[in-house]
């Protein structure tokens, strides 16, 4: 008869014994695996937080690099409140100043028309033979194929839909008696000398050309230039400046002007270019806040465990990276760099203190409003530099070997794809994978361990059962012997 559970043969609670032994073995190993995983997860999360804080800090350095702190504001007092005549934007190298600007004329494209009474209606045939017309302005060209017996309206549509059309619009005006139906072609190519020119490949199309076939005279065709292409003109502080289009680049050095309308007589626009102090201050404060956040994150990640007076009771757990000296080393290097002198800002602005930025008692960056030892406060120094040495701030942060470049180079050693923090994270992830493999291997082991115990204790149970059966048999036999009872 088969034994269904341990102890059934012997009567002993062997099932409970095996269960307890397996539980002890499982708990001992799982406790170690869980503790290892918890520590690895905590470290991986800690390095992720550190890398994130460093990356955010690095991003603020990018906003301070190059010439990004040389921002300029442009404001325009328009001649009237109801219309915009002029727009402008300046690069960081534009010199501050104020300019009186008159928009004298806008740039225009050319307009070409057919002769009066050249056509009687849009359905008039423009040519009995086929040919090709070439449209050209300012070096740009496109072709229109004319079919035999094509009508004026068909030609209009062919021009407007032509491949490569650079801005020529064909229209038909039905003017009536004395004028008839006129073909009007306008070009968006502006600038003096950039009139639209139309040539053909045969004399039959001369009526649709500005220059007759085989003729060197540019005005020998059947189409006349009604309006010539013209430049835009502005008068800046009494000096006339011209542009082929309505945008003036560097008419005022490092400034782009866009004219939209002619200004009224004796009522000009006023353009003011100034340093953008608020934008510079906002970027610098974002940099300070990012550093302070980085410092707080590092302090949280590296804090030590706090124990009670008995030396055993845990009052607060330590940081996820409290045992890793590299984290404090990173922060120490960043802080040391910030406290250094930088030649990029020149002798008058070669460190953060000269800009008004100092470390407070908690090690965080601040612009103090308190004066010490009779000197200027940090706020006073900061405002003075913004007002009188604005572009030197860009040199201090964005110049060669300036603050931005120096810190970016330092932090990149840790945050780049092959940086120390990434290598740390890779190592921790590998250890977590090994932990998972160890757990899977242990699950296989515990099944084998339990099976082995069941085999051993099953054999024991069977042996004890047989012994008990033999013992009972002997007792019964002995009891049947004469005088056994006495």
């Amino acid at each position: 008869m088969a034994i269904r559970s341990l102890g059934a043969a012997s009567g002993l609670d062997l099932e409970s014994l095996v269960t307890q032994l397996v539980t002890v073995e499982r708990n001992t190993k799982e406790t170690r695996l869980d503790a290892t995983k918890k520590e690895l997860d905590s470290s991986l999360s800690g390095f992720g937080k550190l890398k994130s804080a460093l990356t955010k800090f690095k991003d603020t350095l990018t906003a301070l690099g190059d010439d990004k702190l040389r921002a300029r504001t442009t404001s325009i007092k328009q001649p009237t409140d109801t219309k915009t005549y002029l727009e402008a934007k300046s690069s960081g190298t534009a010199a501050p100043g104020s300019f009186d600007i008159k928009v004298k004329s806008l740039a225009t494209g050319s307009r070409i028309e057919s002769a009066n009474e050249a056509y009687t209606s849009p359905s008039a045939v423009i040519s009995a033979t086929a040919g090709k017309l070439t449209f050209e302005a300012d070096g740009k060209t496109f072709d229109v194929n004319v079919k035999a017996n094509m009508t004026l309206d068909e030609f209009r549509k062919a021009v407007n839909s032509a491949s490569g059309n650079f801005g020529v619009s064909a229209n038909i005006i039905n003017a009536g008696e004395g004028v008839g139906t006129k073909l009007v072609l306008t070009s968006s190519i502006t600038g003096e000398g950039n009139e639209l020119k139309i040539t053909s490949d045969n004399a039959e199309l001369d009526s649709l050309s500005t220059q007759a076939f085989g003729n060197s005279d540019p005005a020998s065709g059947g189409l006349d230039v009604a309006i010539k292409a013209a430049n835009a003109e502005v008068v800046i502080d009494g000096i006339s400046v011209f542009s082929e289009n309505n945008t003036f680049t560097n008419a005022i050095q490092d400034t782009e002007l866009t004219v939209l309308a002619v200004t009224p007589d004796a009522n000009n626009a006023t353009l003011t270019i100034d340093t953008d102090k608020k934008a510079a201050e906002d970027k610098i404060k974002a940099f300070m806040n990012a550093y302070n956040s980085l410092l707080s994150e590092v302090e949280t990640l590296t804090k030590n465990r706090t124990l009670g007076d008995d030396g055993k009771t845990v009052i607060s757990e330590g940081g996820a990276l409290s045992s890793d000296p590299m984290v404090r080393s990173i922060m120490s290097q960043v802080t040391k760099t910030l406290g250094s002198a930088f030649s990029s800002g020149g002798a008058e602005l070669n460190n953060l203190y000269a800009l008004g930025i100092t470390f407070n008692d908690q090690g965080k960056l601040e612009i103090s409003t308190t004066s010490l030892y009779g000197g200027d406060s940090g706020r006073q120094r900061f405002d003075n530099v913004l007002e009188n040495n604005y572009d030197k701030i860009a040199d201090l942060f964005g110049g060669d070997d300036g603050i931005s470049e120096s810190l970016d180079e330092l932090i990149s050693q840790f945050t780049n794809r092959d940086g120390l923090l990434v290598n740390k994270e890779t190592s921790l992830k590998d250890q977590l994978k090994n932990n998972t493999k160890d757990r899977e291997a242990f699950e296989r082991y515990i099944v084998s361990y339990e099976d082995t115990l069941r085999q051993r204790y099953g054999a024991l149970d069977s042996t004890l059962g047989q012994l008990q059966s033999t013992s009972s048999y002997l007792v019964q036999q002995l009891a049947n012997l004469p005088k056994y009872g006495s």
Side-chain angles (χ1 to χ4, degrees):
M1 181 178 179
I3 299 175
R4 295 187 177 182
S5 62
L6 290 176
S10 65
L12 300 175
D13 192 5
L14 296 178
E15 181 71 36
S16 176
L17 176 60
V18 169
T19 299
Q20 291 178 35
L21 289 172
V22 170
T23 299
V24 170
E25 183 72 10
R26 176 182 291 278
N27 290 346
T28 301
K29 183 65 174 180
E30 282 188 340
T31 298
R32 290 198 299 268
L33 288 170
D34 289 345
T36 300
K37 185 177 186 304
K38 181 179 179 181
E39 183 178 350
L40 291 172
D41 283 337
S42 178
S43 296
L44 184 60
S45 174
F47 279 114
K49 291 177 180 178
L50 175 60
K51 190 170 72 171
S52 176
L54 282 168
T55 300
K56 288 179 180 178
F57 181 51
K58 186 179 177 182
D59 289 342
T60 65
L61 296 173
T62 301
L64 298 173
D66 300 326
D67 284 330
K68 294 184 179 68
L69 280 179
R70 300 183 193 274
R72 299 292 192 259
T73 60
T74 54
S75 59
I76 300 174
K77 183 180 180 302
Q78 304 287 347
T80 64
D81 295 333
T82 57
K83 190 172 184 179
T84 300
Y85 298 82
L86 175 72
E87 293 177 345
K89 58 182 179 181
S90 299
S91 69
T93 52
S98 182
F99 305 89
D100 178 83
I101 301 177
K102 175 180 177 60
V103 181
K104 196 169 182 179
S105 63
L106 299 182
T108 58
S110 55
R111 174 187 172 102
I112 295 174
E113 300 176 358
S114 61
N116 291 346
E117 299 183 333
Y119 304 102
T120 57
S121 71
S123 59
V125 174
I126 59 173
S127 176
T129 60
K132 182 176 71 175
L133 292 169
T134 299
F135 292 69
E136 179 182 358
D138 195 25
K140 300 178 177 66
T141 64
F142 71 92
D143 295 329
V144 173
N145 292 318
V146 178
K147 298 178 181 178
N149 299 317
M150 177 182 270
T151 66
L152 185 63
D153 191 47
E154 288 174 338
F155 177 70
R156 174 185 68 88
K157 294 175 181 177
V159 172
N160 292 334
S161 62
S163 175
N165 188 327
F166 51 74
V168 175
S169 177
N171 286 286
I172 295 174
I173 298 178
N174 297 294
E177 187 176 353
V179 177
T181 297
K182 292 180 73 71
L183 173 66
V184 178
L185 298 161
T186 57
S187 170
S188 63
I189 302 296
T190 59
E192 185 177 341
N194 289 331
E195 284 78 24
L196 176 63
K197 183 173 72 171
I198 305 174
T199 56
S200 66
D201 63 354
N202 68 74
E204 291 295 324
L205 299 179
D206 284 351
S207 61
L208 296 169
S209 307
T210 58
Q211 183 174 332
F213 180 72
N215 195 318
S216 60
D217 184 357
S220 57
L223 297 181
D224 297 323
V225 178
I227 299 176
K228 289 186 175 183
N231 293 333
E233 180 182 1
V234 296
V235 182
I236 303 173
D237 289 343
I239 301 172
S240 291
V241 183
F242 300 89
S243 173
E244 287 190 349
N245 51 51
N246 291 320
T247 298
F248 292 78
T249 302
N250 288 331
I252 299 172
Q253 188 62 38
D254 298 330
T255 297
E256 183 179 278
L257 306 175
T258 302
V259 294
L260 306 174
V262 174
T263 53
D265 290 340
N267 192 3
N268 299 341
T270 301
L271 167 65
T272 301
I273 302 172
D274 202 357
T275 53
D276 195 346
K277 301 180 184 68
K278 183 179 184 307
E281 182 170 351
D282 288 346
K283 289 177 182 178
I284 291 171
K285 285 186 174 179
F287 154 77
M288 295 169 60
N289 291 336
Y291 171 81
N292 293 340
S293 296
L294 171 62
L295 179 63
S296 296
E297 189 68 73
V298 169
E299 289 176 344
T300 300
L301 292 172
T302 59
K303 70 177 181 179
N304 295 318
R305 173 187 287 186
T306 303
L307 301 176
D309 295 336
D310 59 2
K312 297 179 180 180
T313 305
V314 178
I315 297 177
S316 65
E317 290 291 346
L321 305 178
S322 59
S323 61
D324 197 316
M326 185 183 75
V327 183
R328 292 187 177 89
S329 174
I330 292 174
M331 199 67 228
S332 176
Q333 292 177 65
V334 171
T335 303
K336 181 180 178 181
T337 302
L338 283 174
S340 302
F342 300 88
S343 60
S344 59
E348 64 271 33
L349 192 67
N350 63 357
N351 55 43
L352 287 179
Y353 178 83
L355 184 56
I357 301 174
T358 53
F359 293 98
N360 62 19
D361 294 341
Q362 288 76 45
K364 295 186 175 182
L365 294 176
E366 68 173 5
I367 300 175
S368 174
T369 57
T370 304
S371 299
L372 296 176
Y373 313 113
D376 291 339
S377 68
R379 183 73 243 186
Q380 288 171 323
R381 294 196 303 277
F382 189 81
D383 289 341
N384 179 62
V385 174
L386 280 177
E387 187 64 34
N388 300 311
N389 250 330
Y390 179 84
D391 285 337
K392 281 293 182 180
I393 301 175
D395 294 336
L396 174 64
F397 282 98
D400 291 340
D401 297 324
I403 294 176
S404 180
E405 182 180 297
S406 299
L407 283 173
D408 184 85
E409 184 178 342
L410 171 64
I411 294 173
S412 294
Q413 298 176 25
F414 305 103
T415 59
N416 279 357
R417 182 173 298 179
D418 57 347
L420 296 178
L421 289 182
V422 176
N423 291 336
K424 278 276 188 180
E425 288 180 321
T426 301
S427 174
L428 289 169
K429 289 175 182 177
D430 289 342
Q431 292 178 64
L432 281 168
K433 289 179 182 178
N434 291 334
N435 181 267
T436 300
K437 291 179 180 178
D438 290 344
R439 192 178 297 274
E440 292 170 350
F442 173 69
E443 288 297 330
R444 293 192 294 271
Y445 160 76
I446 205 69
V447 170
S448 175
Y449 176 69
E450 181 176 359
D451 185 59
T452 300
L453 287 179
R454 288 187 176 279
Q455 290 180 19
R456 290 176 179 176
Y457 283 99
L460 175 63
D461 185 42
S462 179
T463 300
L464 289 175
Q466 291 175 3
L467 290 173
Q468 288 176 354
S469 177
T470 301
S471 174
S472 296
Y473 174 77
L474 290 174
V475 170
Q476 289 176 1
Q477 294 300 314
L478 289 172
N480 290 329
L481 293 175
K483 299 182 181 180
Y484 177 78
S486 61

